[in-house]
Amino acid sequence: MADQKTAGRPSKAPAKKPAQDDDVVGKVYDGRLMRRLLTYLGPYRLQVILSAVAILIKAASDVMGPYLVKVAVDTYMTDTPPEHLSWLARHLSSAPLTGITQLAGLYLGALSLSFVLEFVQTYLMQWTGQKIMFDLRSQIFRHLQRMSPAFFDRNPVGRLVTRVTSDVDALNEMFTSGVLAIFEDVFVLAFIVMIMLRMSWPLALLTISVIPAILYVTSIFRKYVRDSYRRQRSATARINAFTQEYVSGMAIVQLFNRERRAFNDFSEVNAENKKAWTDAIFAYALYYPIVELLSSTAIALVIWRGGISVLHTESFTWLTNHTYLASGSGTVHHSIFGTVTLGVLIAFIQYAQRFFRPIQDLSDKYNILQAAMAASERIFKLLDTQSEIISPSHPVAGDNSGRVEFRNVWFTYQHLDEHQVARISKASEDELGSFADIEWILRGVNFTIEPDETAAIVGHTGAGKTTITALMMRFYDIQRGEILVDDVDVRKQDLTRLRRRFGVVLQDPFLFTGTIADNVRLGSSWITDEQLERACDEVNVGDFIRTLPRQFKEPVQERGATLSTGQKQLISFARALAHAPRILILDEATSSVDTDTELRVRMALSRMITGRTSILIAHRLSTIQSADTILVMHKGHLREKGSHQELLAQRGLYWKLYQLQYKDQEAGAGASTDVRLEPLGAD
C-alpha cells in the first residue's frame, strides 16, 4: 500500500503526544451526557427499579442499629421516666431480659435484611453494568466498522482501543458503584439527620457543625485530584498507543537494536502515568486523615456537650424539654441542649460515626462520576463522528458488467475545509493544478477498463497506483470528477454491494486469528468446503495446507505469525478467489514473495483473471506484460496507456521502466511457467 503513504495524506499522531480528547476531564455532572447515558439503562429498567427500591429500604435498615441501642439503654439500663420513652419502648416487654432479647432480634433482623438487600442490589447492578458494557462496546465496534479509512488515518489505534476498554470500564463503574450508590449515601445521610434532629436537634446541629470545614477541604482535594485524573487518562491513552505501535513493529526495533531507545521512550510515558497516580495517592492520603480528624472532632463535641446534658438530666428537675429547676432553688433555668438521656448520647456517637462515612464515600463517588463524564464525552464524541463515506438513501444498482471508468478524477488525502471545497467546485482544470495549499494525488485521470479485460497499473512509488484501486471501492471520495463501476457512479451505489463486487489481494497479506478455513471464508458461510478447497487448489496452496496436521482447520496465530510470507500471500489469493469477485485487484501481490512462490502465483493468475475484470498493480513488469491495457502513472497523472508492445513502441516512460528491469529477460518470460515447482514448505 505504498501509494497510500505518500505526501499529502494525513499522518497518524505520534504515540508519545496526547490526543486532544484524551485530555478531557469532564464536568462532575453534565445533564446532557447523563440523560444520554441513562438511555442505556432502558432495556434493564426492571433491574434498576428493583435495585433502587432495595437501596432505599437498605438505607433505612442500616440506620436502625443505633436507634435500637438507644431504646435498649433508656428502657432497661437507666431510670428514664416513662413519658420520655419512645413508641417502640412502650411496645416491648417490661421484663428486661425479654425486652433486650426482642431488641436483639430486631437488630439481627435489620442486619439480615441489609445483607439480603445488599446482595440483591449488588448483583442486579453488576449484572446490569456488564450488560451495558456489552451493549456499548458492541455499538462502538459496529461504529468503527462503518468508519472510512480516512478516519483511521487520523486516529491512532491505541486511542481507539482505549475507548473500547478503559473508557467503557469507567462507565461500568459509574453504573455499578456510582449513581445508585450516591443515592444510597444520600438516603443514609437523610435518615441519620432526621433521626438525630428528632432525638436532639442541638446535638444534631453540633454534629454537622464541621460540615463547612469538610466541604472546604473536599473542594481543595477535588481540584488536585481532577488534575491528576486528567494526566492519568492522557498517560494511559499514550501508553496504549505507544505499546501498540512498538509491539507491531518489534521486528524492526530488534533489527536496528533500538530496544534501549524504545524502552527509554516508554519509560518517559510510563513515568508520567506513575507521577499522576502518585499525586492522586498523596491527595487521598492527606484528605482522608483530615476528614477523619474533623469527624472525630464532631464526635468529641457530642460527647462533651451530650455528657454534660446527661449529667444535668440526672441532677435537675426538668419542667420542659429545655427548662429545669436546680436542687434547692426555685429559679427556672434554660438549657439549649435540653434533656439528653444516656441512650440518646450513645446513639448520637454511633450516628456521628456513621454520618461521616457516606461523606467520604461521596468524595470517591465524585471521582467515579467525573471519570464517567469524561469517558462518556470521549465515547459519544467517537459515536457522533459520522463516516465520511456512507451509502446513499436511494442507491442505484449497476449492470454487473465489471466495467470501470475514471472521468477527470482529481483527488487528495488532505482534509479540506469548506472554503477549499468551494474553490475546487468553481475552478477550471488549470486552476486546480495551481492550488498551492492542496497536494493532489491524482490529477485529471481518465481511463476505461472494459468488462473481463485485464488492466495493469505501473509507475514509481507515490504515483497514485494504490489510490486508484482504493477509489474504485470508495474507501475515499474524490474531490472532482466521476468514478463509474458497472456504469454507475460509485457514490450512487450501496457500499456493501459495491465492495462485494471486488476481490483484493494486497502487498502485505493480513490473516486473522482463527483457522485457515476461517481466513479464506472471512465469515461468508455460503462458501462450501468444496468451493474453499477448490479455490486453494487453483492458487497452488491446497497441497501445502493438506500437509499440515489439521489441514484446513489448522490454527492461525495473530497476523499469521506461524506462516511464511509466501504462504500467507497464497491464502490471500485463495480468499479472493473463493468469494468469486466480478472485479479482481492484485496490489503488488508478488512483490514480497520468493521466485518459486511467484511462479505459483503466475500459474494461478491466468485462471483467476478468466471471466472477470482484473486490475494488476506491480513493479515487476514480467507479471503484467500479457495485460490487455497498461496504465502508466507518474506524479498523479496518467501519462501513457496501451498494451505492452504499444507502450514499448512509444519509447516513453514505460519503455524506460522496461529498460531498467527486463530488457534482457523478455525472451525467457513466456517459458517461465515450464519451470518445475518445489513443494511449498514452511520457511
Side-chain angles (χ1 to χ4, degrees):
M1 303 286 286
D3 294 293
Q4 293 188 3
K5 299 173 184 174
T6 55
R9 184 172 185 176
S11 60
K12 295 186 179 180
K16 290 167 57 177
K17 295 201 175 179
Q20 187 174 7
D21 56 340
D22 288 321
D23 291 330
V24 172
V25 178
K27 302 177 182 178
V28 179
Y29 178 81
D30 188 315
R32 176 183 57 86
L33 293 176
M34 183 58 72
R35 285 191 297 271
R36 188 167 178 180
L37 284 172
L38 292 179
T39 60
Y40 290 92
L41 290 172
Y44 316 107
R45 60 173 59 89
L46 176 61
Q47 290 81 3
V48 175
I49 292 173
L50 291 176
S51 296
V53 172
I55 282 176
L56 180 61
I57 300 175
K58 178 181 179 295
S61 178
D62 285 340
V63 300
M64 288 300 297
Y67 179 77
L68 294 175
V69 172
K70 178 256 183 192
V71 173
V73 172
D74 285 345
T75 305
Y76 301 110
M77 301 179 190
T78 61
D79 296 328
T80 303
E83 61 272 13
H84 290 165
L85 295 178
S86 64
W87 171 86
L88 177 61
R90 291 193 292 269
H91 288 77
L92 297 173
S93 172
S94 58
L97 289 178
T98 304
I100 290 177
T101 302
Q102 291 173 335
L103 287 171
L106 291 174
Y107 204 148
L108 181 60
L111 292 176
S112 301
L113 181 61
S114 294
F115 169 78
V116 173
L117 294 174
E118 178 74 15
F119 169 78
V120 171
Q121 182 267 332
T122 301
Y123 178 81
L124 289 179
M125 288 313 300
Q126 290 290 344
W127 181 88
T128 302
Q130 292 300 318
K131 287 288 187 179
I132 292 174
M133 287 176 64
F134 177 84
D135 296 340
L136 194 54
R137 283 190 173 126
S138 299
Q139 182 182 3
I140 295 173
F141 191 77
R142 284 196 303 267
H143 182 74
L144 290 176
Q145 287 183 305
R146 290 193 291 265
M147 300 306 291
S148 63
F151 171 82
F152 299 99
D153 296 338
R154 298 190 296 266
N155 292 273
V157 174
R159 186 198 303 178
L160 300 177
V161 170
T162 301
R163 298 295 165 271
V164 181
T165 54
S166 302
D167 286 342
V168 175
D169 286 337
L171 294 183
N172 175 60
E173 193 170 4
M174 184 200 73
F175 284 118
T176 58
S177 306
V179 177
L180 290 182
I182 289 175
F183 287 122
E184 180 179 3
D185 291 335
V186 171
F187 288 147
V188 169
L189 286 173
F191 288 143
I192 289 177
V193 170
M194 286 189 295
I195 293 175
M196 288 196 303
L197 289 173
R198 181 70 179 83
M199 289 193 300
S200 175
W201 63 266
L203 283 182
L205 294 179
L206 192 63
T207 303
I208 64 178
S209 63
V210 298
I211 292 296
I214 291 178
L215 293 178
Y216 175 73
V217 172
T218 301
S219 65
I220 299 176
F221 164 74
R222 289 173 178 174
K223 175 184 175 182
Y224 285 98
V225 169
R226 178 184 178 89
D227 179 69
S228 298
Y229 173 75
R230 177 191 61 78
R231 291 185 287 126
Q232 290 167 22
R233 302 300 299 180
S234 178
T236 299
R238 277 180 282 171
I239 287 175
N240 288 341
F242 188 96
T243 304
Q244 187 275 333
E245 181 178 19
Y246 273 81
V247 169
S248 298
M250 189 56 69
I252 301 299
V253 173
Q254 294 175 348
L255 175 64
F256 288 92
N257 298 315
R258 299 280 292 178
E259 293 93 339
R260 181 177 295 276
R261 175 62 184 272
F263 179 78
N264 291 337
D265 292 343
F266 177 80
S267 296
E268 291 180 11
V269 181
N270 198 26
E272 293 178 13
N273 184 57
K274 184 191 74 172
K275 181 65 168 57
W277 278 105
T278 302
D279 292 345
I281 292 171
F282 177 80
Y284 276 101
L286 198 60
Y287 172 72
Y288 283 122
I290 292 176
V291 173
E292 189 68 29
L293 175 63
L294 292 173
S295 62
S296 299
T297 301
I299 295 173
L301 290 174
V302 169
I303 295 174
W304 172 52
R305 291 307 310 174
I308 293 176
S309 298
V310 170
L311 295 176
H312 285 175
T313 299
E314 300 296 331
S315 304
F316 303 142
T317 302
W318 289 86
L319 304 178
T320 68
N321 243 6
H322 297 281
T323 58
Y324 64 91
L325 292 174
S327 301
S329 172
T331 305
V332 177
H333 298 274
H334 180 79
S335 171
I336 188 175
F337 288 93
T339 57
V340 177
T341 64
L342 181 60
V344 170
L345 178 60
I346 294 174
F348 253 92
I349 294 173
Q350 293 184 353
Y351 278 130
Q353 293 173 333
R354 298 190 181 197
F355 179 78
F356 293 101
R357 291 176 193 167
I359 293 178
Q360 291 180 333
D361 289 342
L362 285 174
S363 299
D364 288 335
K365 303 304 186 295
Y366 167 89
N367 296 313
I368 292 174
L369 196 59
Q370 180 175 279
M373 290 296 103
S376 63
E377 187 169 352
R378 288 188 290 265
I379 289 174
F380 291 145
K381 181 180 178 181
L382 171 61
L383 293 176
D384 291 339
T385 301
Q386 298 297 320
S387 176
E388 299 173 5
I389 310 295
I390 59 175
S391 297
S393 55
H394 301 287
V396 179
D399 58 10
N400 200 34
S401 63
R403 187 175 186 271
V404 178
E405 182 179 0
F406 274 49
R407 295 179 181 174
N408 192 32
V409 172
W410 291 76
F411 174 73
T412 178
Y413 285 114
Q414 289 178 235
H415 186 72
L416 305 179
D417 57 34
E418 294 181 0
H419 176 65
Q420 290 173 315
V421 173
R423 286 169 53 206
I424 291 173
S425 63
K426 299 176 182 177
S428 64
E429 295 291 322
D430 293 336
E431 292 173 334
L432 283 175
S434 64
F435 289 163
D437 58 336
I438 301 178
E439 189 166 356
W440 296 107
I441 305 301
L442 297 181
R443 299 168 176 263
V445 174
N446 291 276
F447 65 82
T448 301
I449 303 174
E450 298 297 338
D452 299 337
E453 188 175 76
T454 298
I457 306 176
V458 299
H460 294 294
T461 298
K465 303 184 298 295
T466 300
T467 298
I468 289 176
T469 58
L471 295 177
M472 292 179 188
M473 296 176 284
R474 206 189 166 200
F475 286 147
Y476 303 87
D477 270 341
I478 58 177
Q479 282 71 41
R480 188 156 174 174
E482 289 182 294
I483 300 176
L484 281 68
V485 173
D486 295 342
D487 288 326
V488 176
D489 192 319
V490 293
R491 290 169 292 193
K492 298 180 180 179
Q493 298 191 43
D494 178 77
L495 281 177
T496 303
R497 293 191 176 187
L498 170 67
R499 292 170 183 170
R500 193 177 293 162
R501 312 272 292 134
F502 289 87
V504 183
V505 181
L506 301 175
Q507 176 181 359
D508 298 317
F510 191 96
L511 299 185
F512 296 90
T513 303
T515 66
I516 291 179
D518 293 337
N519 274 278
V520 174
R521 284 196 176 95
L522 279 187
S524 299
S525 57
W526 55 268
I527 299 177
T528 64
D529 291 343
E530 181 182 353
Q531 291 172 323
L532 184 148
E533 294 185 22
R534 184 167 61 249
C536 292
D537 289 335
E538 289 188 7
V539 299
N540 298 318
V541 74
D543 291 341
F544 159 70
I545 295 175
R546 292 184 180 90
T547 64
L548 299 174
R550 302 185 63 180
Q551 300 187 9
F552 289 90
K553 294 183 179 180
E554 182 72 14
V556 175
Q557 296 183 7
E558 184 179 3
R559 301 181 68 90
T562 55
L563 300 173
S564 69
T565 301
Q567 292 161 356
K568 290 188 288 186
Q569 192 67 282
L570 289 174
I571 291 174
S572 297
F573 271 95
R575 173 195 296 164
L577 191 60
H579 284 81
R582 187 67 185 85
I583 303 172
L584 179 65
I585 297 176
L586 305 180
D587 187 353
E588 302 282 6
T590 62
S591 63
S592 57
V593 298
D594 55 43
T595 304
D596 182 64
T597 303
E598 182 182 0
L599 292 177
R600 292 175 181 272
V601 171
R602 290 171 62 182
M603 291 177 62
L605 194 57
S606 60
R607 294 192 291 269
M608 294 181 66
I609 65 178
T610 301
R612 56 173 56 92
T613 303
S614 302
I615 301 167
L616 316 178
I617 297 176
H619 284 293
R620 297 183 184 180
L621 301 185
S622 62
T623 61
I624 52 93
Q625 292 180 15
S626 60
D628 300 310
T629 302
I630 299 176
L631 308 176
V632 184
M633 299 296 300
H634 184 66
K635 295 183 178 180
H637 293 279
L638 177 58
R639 294 287 298 272
E640 299 173 5
K641 179 172 63 174
S643 66
H644 172 66
Q645 295 298 334
E646 291 171 348
L647 294 176
L648 288 180
Q650 294 178 16
R651 300 179 69 84
L653 182 60
Y654 181 81
W655 179 81
K656 292 179 181 179
L657 292 174
Y658 178 77
Q659 289 294 313
L660 290 172
Q661 292 188 33
Y662 296 111
K663 62 180 181 178
D664 297 326
Q665 301 179 21
E666 184 178 18
S672 62
T673 54
D674 296 331
V675 178
R676 184 176 66 86
L677 299 179
E678 298 296 331
L680 187 65
D683 286 353

